[in-house]
Amino acid sequence: MAIEAQFHVLAVDDNLIDRKLIEKLLKTSSFQVTAVDSGSKALEFLGLQEEEQRNHHPQEMEVNLIITDYSMPGMTGYDLLRKIKESSSLKDIPVVIMSSENIPSRINRCLEEGAEDFFLKPVQLSDVSKLRPHLLRRKAEEEEEKPQRNIRKRKAIEESLTHMLMEDLNKFISIEDIFGELNYEFSHKRWKFGS
Amino acid sequence: MDGVVQLQRQLLDYTALLFQEGFLNDQFTQLQQLQDETNPDFVVEVVSLFFEDSERLLNELANTLDQQSIDFRKVDSHVHQLKGSSSSIGAQRVQNVCIAFRNFCDAQNTEGCLKCLQQVKNEYSLVKNKLETLFKLEQQILAAGGSIPM
């Protein structure tokens, strides 16, 4: 039985109707959704998620993608994007920006700041369905990276072990030399006694 | 069953007319297509939210424009919200008035803003009426044992 990868999306939009719509679009595309109405609530949620990971809680709270409206009071989608990219723990989460206004300079600014994609509102099912293959590809790349990372880890361990062993081995060899001499003396003596 | 067929015909004709007259656009069709068995009342739910939210915004707009010294940024913020929601449900004519409204806000034109407020109230009223009629027709079809034609 093939288990479909479950991706959890955090949706951020201050508009009630848009929030309901994006939630439906995401659920229809088989995403798990958490919807919040501000950038600060989003950061709170992500911070909480960080807390869970530090306490080694299961990955149910892990956020795989953030999709946020651009024009929001207080913290804009752009401000949120910047905060996420500045955070060492959050910067690898892909962020998609939504906006009702088609302003090329705005779009460029977001993409330059590290946004994954930019959707024009009203967002369509065809926009959202682009996300899954993208996330699957990222997941596959991370999986490929794993053995490479493991090999590197092993090499590092082997190198430090070798170093330790060589040191110990050298000590061992010098002891052996001493024992070797002692042995010779004792066997020599025994031989004397034996006769 | 003849009654159901007639109602279905009525619904299709009515919907087509709303599109022709520019009250609704393709975004409304998108909403209908998102509706499924897991969420059979999705369209009604979203549109109801739109009604509530719009009425709140229209009240805010009336208050804000009624002040001695008008805060145009506040007016613009409300209109932006209304433009967004109307666009999301496909209420084309409401959306269009909002665009003009925002231009008057930018220009800090009080008279223009007041005119637009009146216009947007009218358009909102019209589309609300029409959508309620549409939903009533759907209810009648369902009550008569029929299904909603798409």
Side-chain angles (χ1 to χ4, degrees), chain B residues 47-76:
Chain B
V47 172
S48 303
L49 280 177
F50 170 72
F51 290 162
E52 274 173 43
D53 205 48
S54 301
E55 271 152 44
R56 177 186 64 86
L57 287 168
L58 289 171
N59 282 335
E60 299 269 0
L61 279 167
N63 284 335
T64 315
L65 284 167
D66 202 28
Q67 303 301 309
Q68 277 283 22
S69 168
I70 298 173
D71 184 351
F72 284 101
R73 260 182 26 180
K74 214 172 171 195
V75 179
D76 184 72

Side-chain angles (χ1 to χ4, degrees), chain A residues 153-170:
Chain A
K153 261 195 205 163
R154 251 183 60 170
K155 271 197 129 169
I157 292 171
E158 278 172 11
E159 271 164 24
S160 59
L161 271 178
T162 307
H163 185 75
M164 276 162 56
L165 278 170
M166 285 309 284
E167 282 192 356
D168 287 350
L169 201 58
N170 284 332

Side-chain angles (χ1 to χ4, degrees), chain B residues 31-97:
Chain B
L31 288 187
Q32 291 178 310
Q33 288 175 349
L34 279 173
Q35 186 162 287
D36 57 21
E37 323 79 51
T38 69
N39 203 177
D41 297 316
F42 177 68
V43 182
V44 172
E45 283 171 13
V46 179
V47 172
S48 303
L49 280 177
F50 170 72
F51 290 162
E52 274 173 43
D53 205 48
S54 301
E55 271 152 44
R56 177 186 64 86
L57 287 168
L58 289 171
N59 282 335
E60 299 269 0
L61 279 167
N63 284 335
T64 315
L65 284 167
D66 202 28
Q67 303 301 309
Q68 277 283 22
S69 168
I70 298 173
D71 184 351
F72 284 101
R73 260 182 26 180
K74 214 172 171 195
V75 179
D76 184 72
S77 165
H78 293 319
V79 178
H80 175 83
Q81 288 284 314
L82 187 58
K83 176 172 158 280
S85 342
S86 55
S87 159
S88 292
I89 70 148
Q92 179 78 68
R93 279 161 68 146
V94 175
Q95 188 189 341
N96 288 344
V97 180

Side-chain angles (χ1 to χ4, degrees), chain A residues 12 38 43 62 66 90 133 156 163 167 183 185 190 192:
Chain A
V12 193
S38 71
L43 288 174
E62 192 190 9
I66 298 161
L90 302 174
H163 185 75
E167 282 192 356
N183 233 6
E185 290 219 4
R190 244 186 270 129
K192 259 196 176 169

Side-chain angles (χ1 to χ4, degrees), chain A residues 14-51:
Chain A
D14 64 312
N15 186 302
L16 183 57
I17 286 90
D18 286 346
R19 222 163 40 243
K20 186 161 174 98
L21 186 55
I22 193 70
E23 201 175 351
K24 180 68 179 164
L25 287 168
L26 290 165
K27 284 195 172 145
T28 301
S29 307
S30 309
F31 289 110
Q32 246 184 303
V33 191
T34 300
V36 297
D37 65 6
S38 71
S40 43
K41 292 225 180 98
L43 288 174
E44 219 182 282
F45 183 81
L46 292 162
L48 262 154
Q49 178 225 294
E50 244 186 292
E51 193 64 44

Side-chain angles (χ1 to χ4, degrees), chain B residues 61 65 75 79 97-105 113 116-117:
Chain B
L61 279 167
L65 284 167
V75 179
V79 178
V97 180
C98 288
I99 294 169
F101 205 152
R102 286 194 88 188
N103 289 334
F104 284 122
C105 284
C113 283
C116 277
L117 178 59

